[in-house]
């Protein structure tokens, strides 16, 4: 089965996905990995701000707001309903 990869900003609200890779500079990558955004981490998109940015995700039992410009640099695969 072929996996289809998207960027985090393309995941719809109330959908689940898994982080595949993070493509950004070392400083921001370190900041995100320190907050738990590492390869293989599953998350759910819980919502987004009224104007669409930032988006709110739930991972590892906490909520995190992330700018869509940063979410575009995170490659993910969508996890279909479990």
């Amino acid at each position: 089965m072929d996996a289809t990869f998207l960027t985090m900003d393309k995941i719809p609200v109330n959908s689940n996905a898994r982080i595949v890779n993070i493509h950004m500079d070392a400083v921001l990558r370190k900041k995100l990995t320190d907050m738990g955004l590492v390869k293989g981490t599953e998350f759910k998109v819980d919502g987004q701000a009224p104007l669409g940015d930032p988006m709110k995700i739930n991972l590892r039992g906490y909520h995190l707001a992330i700018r869509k410009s940063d979410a575009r640099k995170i490659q993910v695969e969508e996890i279909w309903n479990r």
Side-chain angles (χ1 to χ4, degrees):
M1 183 172 173
D2 293 328
T4 302
F5 300 123
L6 307 166
T7 55
M8 183 181 278
D9 63 305
K10 302 294 184 197
I11 302 299
V13 174
N14 293 322
S15 296
N16 296 301
R18 178 180 305 115
I19 296 172
V20 175
N21 209 344
I22 300 174
H23 304 279
M24 59 183 57
D25 65 77
V27 174
L28 188 52
R29 183 184 174 106
K30 170 111 174 64
K31 182 178 175 183
L32 293 178
T33 56
D34 286 349
M35 291 189 288
L37 277 82
V38 295
K39 187 185 288 188
T41 301
E42 295 182 7
F43 63 93
K44 178 181 180 184
V45 178
D46 279 344
Q48 59 187 13
L51 296 178
D53 196 15
M55 58 191 296
K56 184 171 89 174
I57 63 172
N58 184 341
L59 71 154
R60 301 178 186 260
Y62 72 95
H63 292 95
L64 176 68
I66 185 166
R67 290 179 288 207
K68 285 204 168 183
S69 61
D70 293 333
R72 281 186 204 102
K73 299 172 184 170
I74 301 173
Q75 187 178 27
V76 302
E77 61 182 342
E78 193 165 10
I79 301 171
W80 302 104
N81 294 335
R82 296 190 219 182

